[in-house]
Amino acid sequence: MEPNIAVAVDDLTVAYNYKPVLWDIDLSIPEGVLMAIVGPNGAGKSTLIKAILGIIDPIAGSVAIYGKPYKKQRDKVAYVPQKGSVDWDFPTTALDVVMMGTYGALGWIKRPGASQKKQALEALEKVGMLAFKNRQISQLSGGQQQRVFLARALVQNAAIYFMDEPFQGVDATTEIAIINILKELRKAGKTVIVVHHDLQTVPEYFDWVTFLNVKHIATGPVKDIFNDDNLTKTYGINYKVAVQQ
Amino acid sequence: MELTDFFTDYTLRTITLGTAVLGAICGMLGSFAVLRKQSLLGDAISHAALPGIAIAFLITGAKDSNVLLLGALVSGLIGVFWIKGIVSKTHLKTDTALGLILSLFFGFGMLLLTFIQKQPNANQAGLDKYLFGQAATLVESDVTLMIIVTAISLVVILLFWKEFKLLLFDKNYAMTLGFNTKFIDGLISFFIVLAIVIGLQTVGVVLMSAMLLAPAAAARQWTNSLGVMVILAAIFGAFSGVFGTAISATQSNLSTGPVIVLVAAVFVVISFVFSPERGILFKQIRLIKNRRDLELQKTLYFMYDIVRKHDDISRPHAIKILNNFQGFTKGTLGKLVEKDWITIAGDSWSMTGEGFHTAANLYNTNIPES
């Protein structure tokens, strides 16, 4: 039986100041995979996620989430932005940030109440941050901040999770904690798409992979396509040496 | 004027109420401007309002403050619109766009003001009060307008609290949740422009941005909660208004606007030095204390090293043997006694059970929790 297609990207092209960042991307991601997007700096990995989520307007192409435009499927999608994209000195607490994950379901003006708070506390517990719920976010370590962001996405209770470099600047303990949560999500039938930098851990963490360098190079199961040929095509140098060190 | 008049004089009461309300609304909305990292936007808007005032006067020929403020509102909004347009349509950064619009509009406004002053119309005098503000010209209807605008912004802030917080903290995330971020952004900008415009008559184009920023910057020092910050900023702003008016009323020849801004600046200085968590003073004190604690621990550990070589931990040792140790001073020894970690008898010291226990666990308990 053919699996459902969770995300379908069709002819997507994005440009900043006339310079193409993503060129004619065709990509389909089946439901229930834990997928890494890999590629060198400036390959457009974050841009791909942002374009799928409608944060950036593409100059051409379309995106479908379970066959429908993203705008109609927002409740099925959760997003973990890069940790560095926000000001962590903002006057708020860990719990408050996680509560933001409930805002989309709440809609305009309605305020979060007891049930939203309960959801947020559960998510904090899942990422092992319950003890820090009232901590001001600037007083959290980098790994803890990343966990708070992850908890905020978990609260959205989505079917598809997009994560922009969730392992950036976190220690080994946090990395293992995060990957375990991602694997749990996959086990629950969710689709998880992660911008990832560390090629060494791709086979261990993920079952699918997308190679990207402005153009789409390959997408498929890690065991089939994570090879020297695709790595070389993506990074432009012979990666055999680098990976096997 | 005497201080007692301050409470009995009707005009002065009106002015005080006006400056207090103005301070409160500026503090509230200023918090959003500061957290949005758009502190300079207020400066650009207030300067951009000047040509609107002049043009409104040229068209109507009247000095009715409501009409002039409407002109200020329109040209302030045009300024904001242009700034956002420049940033999104060109490669220029926000600070450049702000600087451009600020000087362009202000220059044009000054040109119009000089033109108006040369007119053979007896009515033109007094328009320059919008440059530095003149609180003395506030009348009851002006204050009523301020109260209405403040009430409306309060309602809007309460209604859209969740949306404002989300946008200020993480705009992209707000977009993915389906919120119209352009609308929220525009709403915040609109009310900031409104607050600036109603303050022009009192504080003036040049100093208006300080009213917006100073209370908010001061409030940020005292709290880690957005709600408390907005309330505190409103209180600081209101007090700046009241104190500023009182000071300028009791001294002759002190204009109110600048005094209010100076009082607000005093709030900022006090907050930056004395606030318990973020203040410079307590940070420094914590730093010195931490350093002393470390010295103390180093000395204790050095002593522990000596003590643990013997079976009897409370066996006395000569103080002299510590002389070669860098962390050691007479003071540290006293502090160690105070903490009951050691006892001193004559020229020798001996470690207590508690001291031994503390030293043994020193580097276990010091590992920060992850």
Side-chain angles (χ1 to χ4, degrees):
Chain A
M1 201 185 87
E2 276 290 295
N4 281 333
I5 297 300
V7 183
V9 177
D10 191 32
D11 289 342
L12 190 77
T13 299
V14 177
Y16 292 136
N17 304 329
Y18 316 108
K19 187 173 170 269
V21 185
L22 289 174
W23 186 253
D24 202 19
I25 306 286
D26 286 303
L27 173 68
S28 62
I29 305 168
E31 187 178 37
V33 297
L34 176 48
M35 187 182 90
I37 300 176
V38 297
N41 292 333
K45 303 182 294 292
S46 299
T47 309
L48 177 61
I49 287 188
K50 284 181 183 161
I52 292 173
L53 295 174
I55 297 168
I56 294 172
D57 283 332
I59 52 176
S62 65
V63 173
I65 306 288
Y66 284 112
K68 287 183 198 150
Y70 174 67
K71 276 185 184 162
K72 292 189 176 149
Q73 303 279 52
R74 284 189 204 282
D75 55 335
K76 295 196 172 59
V77 176
Y79 174 47
V80 179
Q82 268 184 38
K83 188 161 65 66
S85 65
V86 302
D87 172 16
W88 288 93
D89 196 35
F90 193 82
T92 191
T93 61
L95 177 63
D96 223 23
V97 171
V98 178
M99 295 267 270
M100 289 176 187
T102 67
Y103 287 7
L106 276 170
W108 289 91
I109 296 176
K110 231 183 277 168
R111 295 188 163 232
S115 100
Q116 280 75 21
K117 191 174 172 185
K118 195 170 149 264
Q119 291 170 40
L121 289 172
E122 279 167 12
L124 274 170
E125 183 158 31
K126 226 177 264 177
V127 299
M129 288 289 294
L130 195 56
F132 299 90
K133 62 177 186 208
N134 293 325
R135 199 60 87 79
Q136 209 274 321
I137 52 172
S138 68
Q139 288 157 9
L140 299 172
S141 71
Q144 290 169 337
Q145 291 172 347
Q146 192 67 60
R147 287 177 195 222
V148 167
F149 257 18
L150 184 61
R152 185 176 70 169
L154 292 178
V155 163
Q156 288 181 258
N157 198 17
I160 307 172
Y161 289 80
F162 289 96
M163 309 194 177
D164 203 343
E165 300 196 23
F167 303 114
Q168 195 185 44
V170 306
D171 60 16
T173 327
T174 305
E175 181 156 336
I176 292 163
I178 291 176
I179 195 66
N180 284 338
I181 289 166
L182 302 193
K183 285 179 173 170
E184 255 173 55
L185 286 172
R186 181 188 50 190
K187 235 181 256 170
K190 319 271 189 185
T191 310
V192 184
I193 297 146
V194 179
V195 170
H196 194 57
H197 255 304
D198 183 7
L199 291 171
Q200 319 270 353
T201 52
V202 169
E204 186 190 335
Y205 290 173
F206 301 96
D207 54 6
W208 270 60
V209 63
T210 285
F211 291 97
L212 187 75
N213 191 354
V214 183
K215 291 176 183 175
H216 176 236
I217 291 158
T219 295
V222 171
K223 58 179 170 22
D224 298 340
I225 69 156
F226 194 70
N227 52 36
D228 297 341
D229 185 34
N230 281 325
L231 283 167
T232 308
K233 270 190 209 159
T234 309
Y235 290 86
I237 54 166
N238 189 349
Y239 248 78
K240 202 174 191 172
V241 190
V243 172
Q244 281 175 354
Q245 257 174 7
Chain B
M1 191 172 288
E2 293 300 315
L3 195 60
T4 45
D5 297 341
F6 190 63
F7 300 102
T8 52
D9 186 285
Y10 173 77
T11 320
L12 200 53
R13 262 199 338 240
T14 310
I15 295 169
T16 311
L17 183 62
T19 52
V21 171
L22 179 70
I25 186 179
C26 285
M28 270 183 336
L29 293 163
S31 303
F32 295 128
V34 167
L35 290 175
R36 212 159 50 143
K37 311 246 182 304
Q38 290 188 339
S39 308
L40 276 175
L41 184 68
D43 213 19
I45 294 169
S46 63
H47 284 76
L50 191 61
I53 293 168
I55 290 170
F57 174 78
L58 283 173
I59 292 171
T60 62
K63 269 196 312 191
D64 175 52
S65 65
N66 289 345
V67 174
L68 297 185
L69 291 185
L70 191 67
L73 180 66
V74 172
S75 88
L77 285 173
I78 292 173
V80 175
F81 195 68
W82 282 16
I83 289 165
K84 301 211 170 196
I86 290 174
V87 173
S88 69
K89 297 276 184 288
T90 71
H91 293 203
L92 296 176
K93 297 272 178 286
T94 310
D95 58 340
T96 317
L98 288 173
L100 267 176
I101 294 300
L102 184 152
S103 30
L104 183 70
F105 276 60
F106 187 63
F108 184 50
M110 287 304 288
L111 185 94
L112 289 175
L113 276 193
T114 8
F115 173 73
I116 289 167
Q117 256 145 22
K118 299 252 166 70
Q119 296 263 301
N121 181 344
N123 203 12
Q124 87 270 37
L127 267 195
D128 53 349
K129 79 178 177 196
Y130 288 99
L131 275 180
F132 296 104
Q134 207 172 350
T137 61
L138 279 180
V139 292
E140 207 181 300
S141 66
D142 298 324
V143 177
T144 313
L145 179 71
M146 283 179 182
I147 292 173
I148 292 170
V149 171
T150 307
I152 293 172
S153 16
L154 196 61
V155 170
V156 169
I157 289 173
L158 287 174
L159 271 182
F160 293 101
W161 180 255
K162 173 179 109 237
E163 287 77 8
F164 283 175
K165 181 157 72 177
L166 183 62
L167 180 93
L168 291 172
F169 178 62
D170 196 343
K171 188 173 176 181
N172 283 351
Y173 187 69
M175 275 172 106
T176 68
L177 291 181
F179 290 101
N180 184 341
T181 50
K182 273 190 188 142
F183 172 74
I184 309 172
D185 209 45
L187 204 61
I188 297 179
S189 295
F190 176 77
F191 277 94
I192 290 175
V193 175
L194 214 54
I196 287 171
V197 165
I198 63 162
L200 289 180
Q201 191 182 348
T202 316
V203 180
V205 163
V206 178
L207 289 174
M208 196 50 216
S209 70
M211 278 302 283
L212 213 54
L213 305 181
R220 179 68 188 92
Q221 291 297 107
W222 298 94
T223 175
N224 279 324
S225 145
L226 179 61
V228 177
M229 176 179 167
V230 171
I231 293 167
L232 266 184
I235 292 171
F236 288 165
F239 271 104
S240 307
V242 173
F243 289 149
T245 311
I247 293 167
S248 81
T250 46
Q251 311 290 320
S252 52
N253 301 326
L254 277 187
S255 56
T256 315
V259 178
I260 293 175
V261 168
L262 283 177
V263 174
V266 170
F267 275 108
V268 174
V269 171
I270 291 173
S271 302
F272 272 77
V273 176
F274 294 105
S275 68
E277 242 181 71
R278 302 166 73 96
I280 299 164
L281 183 69
F282 289 96
K283 261 191 192 161
Q284 200 59 37
I285 289 174
R286 270 199 301 274
L287 190 75
I288 292 168
K289 193 183 165 300
N290 282 346
R291 232 179 243 164
R292 283 214 185 122
D293 285 352
L294 270 179
E295 292 276 278
L296 211 61
Q297 290 176 1
K298 261 164 65 187
T299 314
L300 182 71
Y301 201 79
F302 179 75
M303 295 160 115
Y304 168 77
D305 250 356
I306 298 166
V307 167
R308 67 173 168 182
K309 289 179 186 124
H310 304 274
D311 291 335
D312 177 17
I313 59 160
S314 54
R315 192 196 123 142
H317 298 270
I319 290 177
K320 256 193 278 181
I321 59 171
L322 297 173
N323 283 352
N324 291 329
F325 181 63
Q326 288 195 329
F328 165 75
T329 60
K330 281 265 150 54
T332 16
L333 217 53
K335 286 220 185 69
L336 288 170
V337 174
E338 252 172 57
K339 286 189 184 270
D340 278 333
W341 286 345
I342 60 163
T343 53
I344 291 183
D347 53 3
S348 57
W349 57 269
S350 52
M351 194 168 271
T352 64
E354 203 188 326
F356 189 81
H357 183 77
T358 309
N361 289 302
L362 209 51
Y363 296 106
N364 299 331
T365 51
N366 267 0
I367 295 167
E369 51 178 340
S370 64

